[in-house]
Amino acid sequence: MPPAERISMKTFALIVFAVTYAGMLLLPRWRAPVALTAAAAFLISGLVPLQAVPDVVDWNVLGMLAGTMGTVFLFIRSGTPARLADRMVLALPDVRWILVSLALFAGLVSAFIDNVATVLMLAPIGLAIAKRLNISPVAPVLAIAISSNLQGAATLVGDTTSILLGSYVGMDFADFFVWHGRPGMFWVVQAGALATIPVLMYLFRGERGKAHLTELTPVTDYVPTALLLGTVAALIVASFFPEKPEATNGILCLLIFFIGLVWDCVKNQSTDVAREAILSIDYTTLLLLAGLFIVIDGISRAGVIKDISSMFVRLGGESLFLTYTMIVWFSVLISAFVDNIPYVAAMLPVVGGIVSAMGGTDGSVLYFGLLAGATLGGNLTPIGASANIAAGGILRKEGYPVSLKEFLRMGVPFTLTAVTTGYVLIWLLYA
C-alpha cells in the first residue's frame, strides 16, 4: 500500500475508532449498534476483508459468555444463592458483620458468575436486611456491587474482561490460580479483597443492630447448582489439554447450558423457563463484542495499535516499572468513565505491541496490570461498571437515588485500597 494511502486509511481508522468510543460513552444504551456500525464501516471500506470476519470474531469468548449467562439464570431461579445468603445472615452476630460478609460473599459468587447477575441475585438480601433494621439500603447494596466488580478478575469466568484476557494470552481456568509456577490473579484479587475489609468495617462502623429472618428462601432445584459447578470443573479439566480446539471452552459452556434447558423442560413438562433462560442471555453484550472484535482488527490493520504501543514505550522509556505503572493507573482512570469491556478489548493488542516493542519482556506483569486497573477501576464512579449502574437502578426503584458523593464515599477508598494492593503484588510476583 502506498504511503499516502496508508496514512489515509490510518486517519479513517482513527476517526471511526474515536467516534465509536464517543458514541458508546454518550449513548450507553446504544453501545452495540454503535460498535456494529463501526464494524460495518471497516468492512465497507475494505480495511477488514469480509472473508476475514469468521477468523476475527472470537467465537470462544462469545460461546463462554452465552453459555454461562444461561446457566446462571437457571442457578438464580433455583433460589440457591439467596438461601446461602440467608444462612450467612443467621450465623453472624450483628449488622456490621452481616453487611461486610454479604459484600465478601457477593465477591466470592462474582468470581464465578457475571457481576450484574450477582448484584441482581444478592441486592434483594441487602434490601431486606435494611428494611428489617430501618436503615438506608444504599451502603449494603453498593458494597455488594463494588465487591462483585473486584472479584470479576479472579477467575476466567468471573467477568468478560477476564475471558477476553484469557483468550488473548492463551490462559485457561487453572492459569488464573497458578501462572508460570507463581500464584495467579485469583490470589492477587483475594489479597485485594482482604485489604478492603478494614475499609468496609469503617464504613459500616455505625451499624450495630441484629437482623432476624422469619423464613429461609426455598430451593426449588439443585441441578442448576450442579451444572454451574460442572461448568467450572469442565473448564478446569479442559485447561490440562493445551492442544485442544480454540472454541473448546465456549462449546463446553453452551453444552452444559443446553443440558440445563433439557432438564428443566423434562422436570416441569414445559418450555416456559427454558424460553426465559434463552431470552435472559445478554445478546446486546454479545453483539457489542462481535462488533468490537472487527473494529479492533481494523485499527490494527491500519497500524493504529502499533502507534499507540509505541507511544507507551516512548513515555515509559526502557523502564518496565514506569510502563507498568502507566498501564495500571491509566486503566483505573479510563475505566472510571468508560465501560471496561470495550476498553480491555482495545487495550489488549496495545499491551501486546508494548511487549513486542520492549523485546524479551515477560508480558504477564503488563497484562495483569491492565486487568487489575480496568476491572477494579470501574468502582471509582457510579458509571464505571455495569454492576454499579444496576445497583443504582435497584436503589432508585426503592426510592433511594444514589448521589455522586454517596458513591464516592465508598467507591474511592475501596478502589484505591484494592488497586494499590493488586498493583504491588502483581509487580512483586511477575516483574
Side-chain angles (χ1 to χ4, degrees), residues 60-112:
N60 187 52
V61 167
L62 300 185
M64 284 185 68
L65 279 174
T68 304
M69 287 174 182
T71 304
V72 164
F73 173 85
L74 297 174
F75 178 63
I76 294 172
R77 191 180 178 87
S78 73
T80 302
R83 179 63 170 261
L84 292 172
D86 290 348
R87 289 290 186 187
M88 181 185 66
V89 167
L90 290 174
L92 294 168
D94 61 35
V95 174
R96 182 173 62 162
W97 278 107
I98 289 171
L99 297 180
V100 171
S101 299
L102 186 59
L104 294 176
F105 178 65
L108 179 63
V109 171
S110 188
F112 303 95

Side-chain angles (χ1 to χ4, degrees), residues 146 150 188-203 328-329 332 372 376-377 379-380 408-425:
I146 61 178
L150 165 64
V188 172
V189 172
Q190 301 321 306
L194 290 175
T196 62
I197 291 178
V199 175
L200 293 174
M201 293 293 287
Y202 177 77
L203 292 171
V328 171
W329 295 106
V332 170
L376 278 58
N379 279 326
L380 206 57
L408 294 178
R409 176 177 171 270
M410 182 177 295
V412 170
F414 188 97
T415 300
L416 293 180
T417 301
V419 173
T420 302
T421 303
Y423 167 73
V424 172
L425 276 178

Side-chain angles (χ1 to χ4, degrees), residues 48-69:
V48 178
L50 187 61
Q51 62 269 24
V53 171
D55 295 323
V56 169
V57 175
D58 195 327
W59 303 106
N60 187 52
V61 167
L62 300 185
M64 284 185 68
L65 279 174
T68 304
M69 287 174 182

Side-chain angles (χ1 to χ4, degrees), residues 22-376:
M24 289 191 294
L25 181 61
L26 298 173
L27 304 169
R29 293 186 179 182
W30 297 88
R31 290 187 306 158
V34 168
L36 290 172
T37 300
F42 278 112
L43 292 172
I44 293 171
S45 70
L47 192 55
V48 178
L50 187 61
Q51 62 269 24
V53 171
D55 295 323
V56 169
V57 175
D58 195 327
W59 303 106
N60 187 52
V61 167
L62 300 185
M64 284 185 68
L65 279 174
T68 304
M69 287 174 182
T71 304
V72 164
F73 173 85
L74 297 174
F75 178 63
I76 294 172
R77 191 180 178 87
S78 73
T80 302
R83 179 63 170 261
L84 292 172
D86 290 348
R87 289 290 186 187
M88 181 185 66
V89 167
L90 290 174
L92 294 168
D94 61 35
V95 174
R96 182 173 62 162
W97 278 107
I98 289 171
L99 297 180
V100 171
S101 299
L102 186 59
L104 294 176
F105 178 65
L108 179 63
V109 171
S110 188
F112 303 95
I113 295 176
D114 177 74
N115 301 343
V116 175
T118 301
V119 171
L120 296 176
M121 187 167 55
L122 297 182
I125 305 299
L127 291 172
I129 293 171
K131 287 179 181 178
R132 284 185 177 88
L133 295 168
N134 196 29
I135 62 174
S136 169
V138 171
V141 173
L142 289 185
I144 289 170
I146 61 178
S147 185
S148 68
N149 285 328
L150 165 64
Q151 290 280 3
T155 71
L156 177 64
V157 296
D159 192 20
T160 305
T161 53
S162 296
I163 295 175
L164 289 170
L165 173 66
S167 178
Y168 188 85
V169 180
M171 296 176 68
D172 274 310
F173 192 89
D175 292 329
F176 275 74
F177 292 85
V178 179
W179 178 246
H180 294 171
R182 286 165 282 185
M185 274 299 293
F186 178 84
W187 306 108
V188 172
V189 172
Q190 301 321 306
L194 290 175
T196 62
I197 291 178
V199 175
L200 293 174
M201 293 293 287
Y202 177 77
L203 292 171
F204 296 140
R205 63 190 181 280
E207 310 298 345
R208 296 289 186 176
K210 173 66 179 175
H212 299 280
L213 292 177
T214 56
E215 60 182 20
L216 298 176
T217 303
V219 176
T220 58
D221 189 357
Y222 287 99
V223 170
T225 303
L227 290 175
L228 191 62
L229 294 175
T231 300
V232 174
L235 292 174
I236 292 173
V237 171
S239 69
F240 291 102
F241 297 90
E243 302 302 322
K244 63 183 179 296
E246 290 184 4
T248 298
N249 289 346
I251 292 171
L252 285 172
C253 291
L254 288 170
L255 178 61
I256 291 173
F257 173 44
F258 178 74
I259 292 171
L261 292 179
V262 172
W263 164 258
D264 194 271
C265 290
V266 172
K267 175 176 177 286
N268 296 311
Q269 295 296 300
S270 170
T271 60
D272 291 346
V273 174
R275 191 180 302 111
E276 286 183 51
I278 293 172
L279 293 175
S280 74
I281 295 172
D282 188 353
Y283 296 102
T284 299
T285 295
L286 299 181
L287 290 172
L288 166 67
L289 284 174
L292 284 175
F293 287 136
I294 296 172
V295 170
I296 292 163
D297 185 69
I299 63 174
S300 178
R301 290 173 186 265
V304 175
I305 295 291
K306 183 177 180 181
D307 288 348
I308 297 175
S309 304
S310 300
M311 179 191 71
F312 268 93
V313 172
R314 286 196 305 272
L315 291 174
E318 297 182 358
S319 171
L320 177 62
F321 177 73
L322 182 55
T323 303
Y324 167 69
T325 300
M326 286 193 302
I327 288 175
V328 171
W329 295 106
F330 178 75
S331 299
V332 170
L333 178 63
I334 295 299
S335 292
F337 303 99
V338 177
D339 189 282
N340 56 18
I341 294 173
Y343 171 73
V344 170
M347 280 297 291
L348 279 170
V350 171
V351 174
I354 294 171
V355 172
S356 298
M358 294 188 77
T361 298
D362 180 3
S364 299
V365 66
L366 301 182
Y367 285 119
F368 291 156
L370 169 66
L371 181 63
T375 306
L376 278 58

